[in-house]
Amino acid sequence: MFKHTPIREGERFDGPIRTLTEGHFRQFSDLSGDTHPVHHDADYARSTRFLKPVAHGLLLAALTALGASTGKDRCHGFVFVEQGARFLKPVFAGDTIRPGLKVERIWREGRRRYCRMATTITNQRGETVLEGFQVYRIFDLAGPHEG
């Protein structure tokens, strides 16, 4: 059930901690069509700066989803409109990652309301491997929907 407690600037939400596997890389390749060998071919990956298969950047960005976080019951009326990310360190099969989101800003533009979240992923060594942002438009589901 959705809680109607407003999200506030400064609040933090945690995503699910997970250990990524080569199977996750294959599933994402199958779903996205991104079959670049750096994600699955150990021989090819050895010839790159990564030296072994590396997680897809878009897979990592997807794992910062607000709807998968501890904020999922608080985002009623939120519609995802924008995302950006910087990939700071590679993520390999066997790495355990911890996504997080922090409410940076809530604002209005005329009748429209928005929320910007800072996103991060850290690994099992406490290193930040991704930092970015997401923007959501917030609709008042009890009222009329403006354009």
Side-chain angles (χ1 to χ4, degrees):
M1 187 65 175
F2 287 102
K3 297 176 188 172
H4 293 287
T5 307
I7 286 178
R8 305 226 184 268
E9 289 180 5
E11 279 193 90
R12 294 179 182 273
F13 304 110
D14 297 318
I17 298 169
R18 67 183 75 230
T19 300
L20 293 180
T21 67
E22 291 176 6
H24 291 122
F25 299 176
R26 280 192 304 276
Q27 288 175 330
F28 190 81
S29 286
D30 290 346
L31 181 63
S32 68
D34 181 350
T35 58
H36 192 283
V38 75
H39 304 300
H40 64 83
D41 182 328
D43 290 332
Y44 177 85
R46 266 193 293 282
S47 71
T48 71
R49 68 185 199 96
F50 302 114
L51 304 177
K52 56 186 174 180
V54 63
H56 300 74
L58 289 175
L59 168 62
L60 298 174
L63 295 175
T64 65
L66 176 60
S69 77
T70 55
K72 67 183 170 206
D73 292 333
R74 306 262 313 281
C75 60
H76 197 55
F78 279 50
V79 176
F80 187 51
V81 295
E82 184 179 355
Q83 178 176 35
R86 290 182 346 136
F87 304 97
L88 305 174
K89 293 190 176 281
V91 174
F92 304 107
D95 282 348
T96 300
I97 60 167
R98 176 188 304 261
L101 299 97
K102 179 182 178 186
V103 181
E104 286 186 316
R105 182 174 169 223
I106 299 171
W107 76 98
R108 287 193 176 275
E109 290 180 12
R111 293 177 41 189
R112 295 179 179 187
R113 199 163 40 127
Y114 296 91
C115 176
R116 179 181 165 110
M117 303 268 187
T119 57
T120 59
I121 295 179
T122 56
N123 64 20
Q124 69 274 13
R125 291 177 296 283
E127 301 166 325
T128 301
V129 299
L130 175 150
E131 63 182 13
F133 71 92
Q134 297 171 357
V135 176
Y136 295 85
R137 178 145 176 225
I138 306 170
F139 287 91
D140 178 5
L141 297 181
H145 295 280
E146 68 273 4

